[in-house]
Amino acid sequence: MAAISPPPAPLIDGIGRRISYLRLSVTDRCDLRCRYCMAEDMQFLPKSAVLSIEEMGDLGERFVARGVRRIRLTGGEPLVRRGIDTLAMRLGALIGQGLDELTLTTNGMRLAEHAPMLAAAGVRRINVSLDTLDAAAFRHITRVGDVDVALQGIAAARKAGIAVKINMVALAGLNEDQLMPMLDWCAANGCDLTLIETMPLGEVADDRSDHYIPLHQFIAPLRAARAIWPIDKKTGGPARYFAIEDSPVTLGLITPLSDNFCATCNRIRLTVEGRIYMCLGQDDHVDLRASLREGGDVDGLIDAALAGKPRAHDFHIERKSTPAVARHMSATGG
Ligand code: SAM
Ligand code: SF4
């Protein structure tokens, strides 16, 4: 009789949280330079430091075998990575074979070109980062971006049958006046909206504390105009969800600074260098790359990483202070 090998062990962290969600950063590069995310002259990783598309596919399969049910491709900008189509197709083939969902977070700049490929790979929902609809403000925030290109990308995704959620970072003095127009635009275009507080990740030249605004303050104009109430929607992610009076839009709020969300965290992040960061807000990590390349005990390292997943992040925004975490969101995968 053939020997039956035991099923791969599920991913459970040191305090019993079951990990079912992997965020995979496929590149640290980007075609935008959002002020809160990157410095204008960002230094990117050399090619040798970056996992190949094949290595990412191997790791994705390994994580799904160990119980990951959702994978989100992110970055940097995932759609600038050469071979993203190959990776999306390979991981998409796991849907129904352990994987429930493959998603993506993008700035939308190359979405028009890639939307049909993503739909063919089985992607049904994506997040598009759009901090403002105002062309001049969009250019200012992203330093180089064109809002019309993002809007065309969103339209192409919708046409390809992909649901779009907009991610909007709340930025004092830069997009506070944009919440109501964005909500109306989302209602008219069939998109949901999630608001995010700025997090202190990486040196970015601007003083981020100048633009930090707690979400309860950012949404004050909305509360003054319409009722909003919490709804019982859970994604395992950090957002809390709300319904809005007279609006089809579901509003998500991500408040890492004003309201810590770590207790139910079910995710791990794999960087483009093959490191597992147990938490966006901490520097502890385990490096899988060497083991992957030299045939070492990758599963043992993954278990070690999980054992060290912290209870909670330690973000705080203090004026002119160094960031809580030195690496950028684009390096860890937002
Ligand atoms: N380039 C893609 C994009 O912008 O959607 C994916 C990567 S980006 C790092 C993922 C998300 O992180 C975006 O929604 C972006 O707005 C957000 N982000 C980046 N830096 C941030 C920061 N310091 N604080 C809060 N959100 C941040
Ligand atoms: Fe690029 Fe996304 Fe960072 Fe903006 S938020 S610079 S689009 S990685």
Side-chain angles (χ1 to χ4, degrees):
M1 211 188 349
I4 301 172
S5 44
L11 302 165
I12 309 237
D13 78 5
I15 55 168
R17 291 171 297 194
R18 188 176 181 129
I19 306 301
S20 57
Y21 183 10
L22 173 67
R23 294 175 84 101
L24 183 58
S25 177
V26 302
T27 179
D28 61 328
R29 287 163 198 265
C30 188
D31 44 3
L32 298 183
R33 292 288 183 278
C34 303
R35 287 171 188 275
Y36 51 79
C37 179
M38 288 191 184
E40 197 160 11
D41 58 348
M42 275 291 282
Q43 297 296 308
F44 296 109
L45 293 165
K47 212 173 157 200
S48 58
V50 165
L51 295 185
S52 68
I53 288 292
E54 200 187 343
E55 287 169 330
M56 288 180 191
D58 290 349
L59 278 173
E61 284 178 0
R62 189 185 289 262
F63 276 104
V64 172
R66 295 199 58 186
V68 160
R69 308 192 68 113
R70 289 170 65 200
I71 297 179
R72 178 173 295 277
L73 303 177
T74 180
E77 172 49 40
L79 297 181
V80 305
R81 176 74 200 249
R82 196 169 297 156
I84 185 68
D85 46 350
T86 307
L87 182 65
M89 288 295 181
R90 181 166 169 195
L91 296 178
L94 301 174
I95 297 171
Q97 316 286 325
L99 187 67
D100 293 339
E101 192 178 40
L102 178 66
T103 57
L104 173 98
T105 302
T106 175
N107 62 28
M109 290 294 118
R110 302 196 183 188
L111 193 50
E113 175 193 334
H114 287 294
M117 175 281 287
L118 293 171
V123 174
R124 296 287 168 263
R125 314 188 287 143
I126 58 173
N127 291 352
V128 181
S129 303
L130 187 65
D131 298 329
T132 174
L133 293 164
D134 180 90
F138 187 86
R139 169 61 59 96
H140 177 75
I141 293 167
T142 63
R143 292 197 182 98
V144 291
D146 178 346
V147 74
D148 286 336
V149 177
L151 297 179
Q152 285 158 17
I154 294 168
R158 303 262 304 131
K159 194 166 162 222
I162 300 174
V164 174
K165 183 169 69 94
I166 302 297
N167 277 349
M168 179 180 189
V169 176
L171 298 162
L174 295 180
N175 68 356
E176 283 168 289
D177 58 340
Q178 285 289 305
L179 175 58
M180 300 309 279
M182 187 67 85
L183 268 174
D184 291 343
W185 183 89
C186 285
N189 289 276
C191 300
D192 286 327
L193 177 64
T194 289
L195 305 176
I196 309 174
E197 284 175 352
T198 43
M199 293 172 241
L201 299 172
E203 294 283 358
V204 290
D206 280 28
D207 183 354
R208 210 167 350 223
S209 61
D210 285 343
H211 299 302
Y212 171 70
I213 173 168
L215 287 189
H216 64 84
Q217 200 174 320
F218 193 76
I219 65 169
L222 169 62
R223 281 192 190 275
R226 296 185 215 165
I228 74 167
W229 59 95
I231 55 172
D232 191 26
K233 171 176 165 164
K234 294 202 170 56
T235 57
R240 291 170 293 131
Y241 293 97
F242 297 82
I244 304 171
E245 178 187 4
D246 293 333
S247 173
V249 177
T250 295
L251 180 69
L253 301 183
I254 300 184
T255 52
L257 295 165
S258 62
D259 183 12
N260 185 304
F261 50 55
C262 305
T264 56
C265 180
N266 66 350
R267 57 189 57 194
I268 46 175
R269 300 181 144 81
L270 182 64
T271 72
V272 68
E273 292 172 280
R275 294 177 177 181
I276 296 182
Y277 280 91
M278 281 64 86
C279 172
L280 189 56
Q282 298 193 354
D283 267 331
D284 293 345
H285 66 270
V286 168
D287 198 338
L288 302 183
R289 189 181 65 206
S291 238
L292 196 63
R293 292 185 176 168
E294 290 154 18
D297 179 14
V298 176
D299 279 306
L301 286 174
I302 294 172
D303 289 333
L306 287 177
K309 187 169 162 63
R311 221 166 252 281
H313 66 65
D314 23 86
F315 288 141
H316 8 227
I317 283 220
E318 276 146 26
R319 206 174 165 75
K320 300 285 181 203
S321 64
T322 47
V325 167
R327 66 186 193 281
H328 292 83
M329 180 80 107
S330 54
T332 320

